[in-house]
Amino acid sequence: MALFRRKAEAESVESTPAQSRLPLVSRRVYCTVCESDRDFSPCWRRVGYPTTCSACGLRFNDLAKLYNQVLPACPQCEEPLEQPGFDYGTCTTCGSKYEIMEGTKPTLLPNRAQRDTMDTHGRARRIR
Ligand SMILES: [Zn+2]
Ligand SMILES: [Zn+2]
């Protein structure tokens, strides 16, 4: 399936090339929160490393250290970070954010509320 790429002219004005999102066509992906196939929109490809946290606004000083982790996350609020070259999408039904890879199940990037819920279900989380 061909991906239709288009330049987000309006977006590129505001964001620097180092932290931009390339818009992709919406996809139909299995949402593990809804437990069924859902339309994902918007979908985008991360271009370059994010320099600030999209959730809490923290400015990242040491990207190399952050991205050495298997699952990079904001050191302040633990928001999962997008990785360059990967595709992401948001479930239009429940608003969950996923990392989407062709041919594999999408990986949920839980927001704060979802991370808190996961704790109560005993999902893997770093122990301090
Ligand atoms: Zn954060
Ligand atoms: Zn969903």
Side-chain angles (χ1 to χ4, degrees):
M1 190 184 78
L3 292 174
F4 298 98
R5 298 184 185 185
R6 61 188 166 82
K7 280 210 175 82
E9 314 246 298
E11 234 182 40
S12 63
V13 175
E14 291 169 86
S15 56
T16 65
Q19 53 171 327
S20 57
R21 289 172 168 186
L22 181 72
L24 304 173
V25 286
S26 61
R27 301 182 188 182
R28 199 158 177 85
V29 182
Y30 184 83
C31 175
T32 53
V33 175
C34 297
E35 298 188 320
S36 62
D37 286 341
R38 298 292 186 194
D39 289 321
F40 275 33
S41 178
C43 292
W44 67 92
R45 178 164 297 160
R46 160 59 60 176
V47 182
Y49 291 96
T51 53
T52 55
C53 175
S54 59
C56 73
L58 179 75
R59 180 162 278 279
F60 303 138
N61 297 316
D62 196 347
L63 279 174
K65 194 176 160 195
L66 278 180
Y67 279 88
N68 265 335
Q69 302 172 69
V70 179
L71 291 170
C74 172
Q76 181 165 276
C77 71
E78 299 188 4
E79 181 79 6
L81 302 180
E82 296 172 15
Q83 306 194 63
F86 284 80
D87 293 354
Y88 297 88
T90 305
C91 172
T92 52
T93 305
C94 69
S96 298
K97 185 165 137 184
Y98 286 87
E99 184 181 287
I100 305 167
M101 261 195 288
E102 211 72 53
T104 63
K105 271 204 286 185
T107 307
L108 177 68
L109 298 183
N111 59 30
R112 177 153 221 117
Q114 288 171 326
R115 289 196 296 276
D116 290 345
T117 311
M118 281 178 178
D119 283 352
T120 64
H121 291 295
R123 278 281 293 270
R125 195 182 185 191
R126 275 167 294 166
I127 297 158
R128 290 157 199 275

